Amino acid sequence: MFDLLPVMAWSSFADGTCEFLNKAHSTYTGLSREASRRWGWQTAIHPQDLGHRMEKWRESLASGRPSEAEVRIRRHDGVYRWFLLRVEPFFDASGAIVRWYGAGTDIEDRKHAEANWSASEEKLSLIFNTVPMLVWSCLPDGSADFFNDQWCDYTGTSIADSEGWGWTVALHPDDFRHAMEGWCAVLLSDGNGPPAFELRLRRADGMYRWFWLQTTAALDHTGAIERWYVTMTDIHDRKMAEDGERRSQALLTEAKRLAGLGIFSFREGADSMAWCNALYNMFEFPLDTPVTRELIEQRTHPDDASLSFGHVFDARNGRNFEERVRILMPGGATKFIQYCAYATVTLSGETEYIGTVQDVTEQHLAAEELILARNELAQAAKASSLGVLTASIAHEINQPLSGIVMNANTCLRMLNTAPTNVEGAVEAAQRIIRDGNRAADVVSRLRKLFSQKAITASPWSLPCATGDIIGLLQGDLRKCRISVDESYPADLPQVRGDRIQVQQVIQNLLRNAIDAIKAASDGPRRIRVVGAHRDGFVSLSVGDSGVGFANADPEDVFKTFFTTKRDGMGIGLSISRWIIEAHGGKLIAQKGDGRGAIFTFSIPGEQSPNPAIAPLSGSHKS
Ligand code: ADP
């Protein structure tokens, strides 16, 4: 019977000497029954385990109680395997031990499984405590029973504090309700419900940070939820960055809306541009239409074709663009848009243009109205000051003139009477001379009015003074689509004189040039301003591509009251010449090359041999 048992089994006498070992023992150990009997079996026990085995055996023998021992037993091929040895006493009717019976069960595989289990448990806890997230678990009813080290470090609480529902103390008060609802939804789900939500968790120092709470259900073998595993990932920095990004995106969109701004980008050589929605709206193109050059040019006002926004497609060599053009909307309205494209270099070395397009229709119309109003005002001021001047000159001169006419009549009458009243005629002639002198005085007084102080101003730069005036006229120039080229030699000396008066001359020349270009219906629309110096004189010529003088003598334009304009006065150029000559210089007009006119004035430069400039009156006139 013993031999039929699939485990090792033996019997020993009451003193512990082995009486009999079964077949399983001899098959396993390879020891014969004879060799194992009495104490022979000891040779198969691992030397390190024999002491322990004998100790347990002696304890049982002394106490008469059963015992167990785990020992390694050598197999016939020399390999040791773990066995659990159990011994039980067998009593006779009087209660004395007559035999001991023992059995050994192979526990090698269980031992390995245990070793593996404790190793994997160690590994698991290492993972739990080193993952960069808070990990905890809870029972199906939601009460927590495990927290990793990170949880305890972050919240500054112990596992005991957090167990059950203690962990909810760390929730942000504003998130409490939402977090509890989320948590209950998880618990009520069958593991396939809403598994994640965001909440704020208090750090040990009292600061709250945003976390992403995720749950996973662990199921038992029947498929019921056995435990929930929860991970909480710190998303605070990402969330703050996202919030910041969202805020700045919203701000940018709002700013773009307020400024009527659209944004585009374009890669050199590409067939289409990337546009933002605002830009699609501005051009009234259907969203998502590829924006090609043809599409943009369909909208562009024919007169602005040369400046069209579509020219960005010709972009080369990282050139920046800035233009104002008109676009014609499908409904017939005209919009003024200002576009800028700035070249940037991408990481892959390609040139990319990033640009803005602004709807400046309102500003443009307002600026045009302003220019109109300013021109009307200037015209009115010119007319009224001229009127006042004329009235006062007329008044001053009228008196001596009527005196002269009256005295001349008297003189004639006296000479025609018989006898001739020579004495009376002489007196009348003397009065004529007196009144004539008075009239001459008036004129010379008027001149003195314009020449109260000699021009002793400090030297100034002609290009700067010209630049100021071009700036002033920018609105008119843009409105009439006229470009101005300026060129000055680097060594242009400064000039001395009345800056304001010379600027009046420059303004007058530029205004006339604009008028002449406006009067020409076709051809280029350009003004060339060129500075030069020679023999101590600094000159400035203003050449235009306007109507020119036709067959007229250019010198005629300097005659007072000469004008070919419907609303002209014909005094601007005569005053300009007067001002320039008062500075010791010259103002001349010439026909332009091919078309237009060129007006040039020269005045003494700072290094001129005779920088002292005459006052506006006196004998300077050539
Ligand atoms: P106004 O501008 O009031 O006519 P000006 O004395 O400034 O008075 O000009 C006189 C005239 O000279 C103009 O009406 C015009 O016929 C002629 N003129 C002046 N500048 C030019 C120019 N750049 N091109 C052609 N004609 C000009």
Side-chain angles (χ1 to χ4, degrees):
M1 231 169 72
F2 253 35
D3 279 346
L4 291 177
L5 290 177
V7 294
M8 288 180 195
W10 65 92
S11 67
S12 303
F13 299 110
D15 65 354
T17 323
C18 182
E19 178 191 15
F20 175 80
L21 288 115
N22 74 345
K23 196 174 169 194
H25 184 270
S26 53
T27 309
Y28 176 82
T29 58
L31 295 174
S32 69
R33 246 187 258 257
E34 226 11 69
S36 304
R37 276 192 66 231
R38 300 184 64 79
W39 299 99
W41 52 268
Q42 288 183 342
T43 56
I45 305 290
H46 195 291
Q48 284 173 3
D49 301 339
L50 186 60
H52 168 64
R53 161 81 175 100
M54 288 310 291
E55 198 182 318
K56 287 281 175 188
W57 190 209
R58 273 193 289 271
E59 271 173 29
S60 285
L61 291 174
S63 66
R65 290 174 185 282
S67 69
E68 284 182 1
E70 287 182 5
V71 295
R72 278 164 287 181
I73 302 179
R74 193 184 59 233
R75 207 165 53 187
H76 55 85
D77 57 359
V79 173
Y80 284 95
R81 288 177 69 85
W82 281 99
F83 281 79
L84 174 67
L85 306 184
R86 299 167 67 86
V87 288
E88 292 264 357
F90 182 73
F91 304 93
D92 65 9
S94 66
I97 295 174
V98 284
R99 286 282 189 286
W100 289 91
Y101 291 108
T105 323
D106 188 329
I107 56 165
E108 180 74 18
D109 295 340
R110 202 193 76 201
K111 269 275 193 204
H112 274 301
E114 264 175 23
N116 284 348
W117 171 247
S118 73
S120 58
E121 201 176 21
E122 220 168 86
K123 247 192 242 162
L124 206 64
S125 104
L126 193 72
I127 292 172
F128 271 152
N129 290 323
T130 44
V131 284
M133 45 171 77
L134 315 186
V135 181
W136 47 283
S137 67
C138 67
L139 301 174
D141 69 356
S143 59
D145 62 348
F146 165 81
F147 291 89
N148 72 346
D149 289 353
Q150 274 80 327
W151 168 277
C152 299
D153 292 348
Y154 177 84
T155 57
T157 56
S158 66
I159 293 185
D161 295 336
S162 306
E163 264 175 353
W165 292 86
W167 59 276
T168 54
V169 176
L171 294 180
H172 192 287
D174 293 351
D175 296 344
F176 192 84
R177 194 190 160 89
H178 146 81
M180 280 300 106
E181 280 170 5
W183 184 231
C184 290
V186 168
L187 296 179
L188 293 175
S189 74
D190 51 4
N192 299 317
F197 53 91
E198 288 177 3
L199 48 79
R200 275 167 292 180
L201 206 62
R202 194 181 55 219
R203 203 165 59 184
D205 61 2
M207 266 262 309
Y208 284 92
R209 290 179 69 83
W210 280 100
F211 280 83
W212 175 238
L213 183 148
Q214 284 171 291
T215 55
T216 318
L219 308 179
D220 65 13
H221 65 281
T222 65
I225 293 174
E226 190 176 50
R227 184 175 241 83
W228 288 99
Y229 286 96
V230 184
T231 57
M232 295 178 76
T233 318
D234 188 330
I235 52 163
H236 193 81
D237 297 336
R238 197 191 74 202
K239 198 168 162 69
M240 290 299 111
E242 276 173 9
D243 282 359
E245 172 82 358
R246 251 198 306 277
R247 263 203 304 279
S248 60
Q249 196 64 39
L251 214 64
L252 182 68
T253 311
E254 189 58 11
K256 271 165 54 187
R257 192 185 64 74
L258 286 174
L261 205 66
I263 291 179
F264 69 89
S265 74
F266 169 69
R267 273 215 180 167
E268 201 174 82
D271 298 330
S272 62
M273 290 183 192
W275 277 24
C276 75
N277 289 358
L279 202 48
Y280 274 101
N281 294 341
M282 196 187 294
F283 274 69
E284 294 178 24
F285 286 144
L287 288 180
D288 300 334
T289 319
V291 182
T292 58
R293 184 191 184 119
E294 291 70 41
L295 197 70
I296 297 173
E297 282 172 359
Q298 274 167 25
R299 279 278 188 279
T300 311
H301 191 292
D303 292 354
D304 294 349
S306 61
L307 307 169
S308 161
F309 182 19
H311 282 233
V312 177
F313 281 93
D314 302 333
R316 289 284 178 277
N317 308 327
R319 183 165 78 89
N320 292 340
F321 295 83
E322 181 156 8
E323 287 298 349
R324 181 174 288 198
V325 292
R326 281 167 293 176
I327 52 173
L328 290 174
M329 305 320 291
T334 303
K335 277 186 189 173
F336 288 83
I337 59 153
Q338 176 97 21
Y339 71 86
C340 315
Y342 298 101
T344 55
V345 178
T346 63
L347 285 178
S348 55
E350 287 173 285
T351 304
E352 180 164 25
Y353 286 83
I354 309 285
T356 57
V357 183
Q358 194 175 14
D359 183 344
V360 291
T361 311
E362 276 182 30
Q363 292 98 303
H364 189 91
L365 296 180
E368 272 190 358
E369 273 172 26
L370 193 70
I371 290 166
L372 217 64
R374 204 192 290 147
N375 283 351
E376 277 170 11
L377 200 69
Q379 198 69 24
K382 230 164 144 187
S384 72
S385 57
L386 195 73
V388 171
L389 195 68
T390 315
S392 78
I393 293 171
H395 177 74
E396 292 260 3
I397 293 188
N398 207 28
Q399 275 183 332
L401 281 184
S402 43
I404 288 169
V405 173
M406 203 176 72
N407 285 314
N409 280 329
T410 312
C411 182
L412 272 181
R413 212 178 43 247
M414 288 186 173
L415 290 175
N416 284 336
T417 51
T420 312
N421 183 350
V422 176
E423 207 178 315
V426 168
E427 272 178 23
Q430 279 168 343
R431 282 201 298 278
I432 291 171
I433 293 168
R434 186 202 63 198
D435 286 347
N437 282 338
R438 258 178 67 191
D441 275 354
V442 170
V443 173
S444 103
R445 259 204 347 261
L446 277 170
R447 284 195 138 176
K448 275 194 185 133
L449 196 71
F450 288 103
S451 59
Q452 269 164 359
K453 53 180 180 332
I455 301 159
T456 54
S458 50
W460 43 271
S461 145
L462 191 58
C464 289
T466 312
D468 288 350
I469 298 298
I470 292 174
L472 261 179
L473 297 175
Q474 205 56 52
D476 274 355
L477 290 165
R478 190 176 288 157
K479 186 180 152 211
C480 304
R481 328 202 65 70
I482 297 170
S483 63
V484 180
D485 297 335
E486 290 175 81
S487 77
Y488 306 97
D491 59 346
L492 193 71
Q494 293 204 311
V495 290
R496 209 183 261 280
D498 189 320
R499 191 174 194 262
I500 303 287
Q501 286 183 358
V502 176
Q503 280 185 317
Q504 264 169 14
V505 174
I506 300 168
Q507 180 170 5
N508 194 38
L509 298 183
L510 285 168
R511 275 203 179 284
N512 281 343
I514 294 172
D515 289 343
I517 294 173
K518 265 170 31 183
S521 50
D522 59 351
R525 303 171 80 76
R526 202 176 48 235
I527 296 178
R528 287 181 72 82
V529 177
V530 181
H533 64 104
R534 198 173 156 197
D535 302 334
F537 279 78
V538 176
S539 68
L540 187 84
S541 23
V542 177
D544 61 63
S545 56
V547 284
F549 306 115
N551 295 324
D553 180 358
E555 201 41 39
D556 286 348
V557 297
F558 294 104
K559 288 182 183 154
T560 312
F561 302 122
F562 174 89
T563 182
T564 55
K565 300 175 195 167
R566 198 164 47 83
D567 52 356
M569 289 207 173
I571 56 168
L573 282 177
S574 57
I575 290 178
S576 295
R577 180 171 259 185
W578 186 40
I579 289 172
I580 292 300
E581 287 178 350
H583 279 74
K586 274 199 171 96
L587 168 63
I588 57 160
Q590 294 161 286
K591 291 187 173 176
D593 290 340
R595 60 185 294 154
I598 305 173
F599 284 80
T600 308
F601 70 79
S602 54
I603 50 176
E606 172 64 355
Q607 273 99 45
S608 95
N610 180 17
I613 293 161
L616 275 170
S617 66
S619 57
H620 63 274
K621 211 165 171 172
S622 59

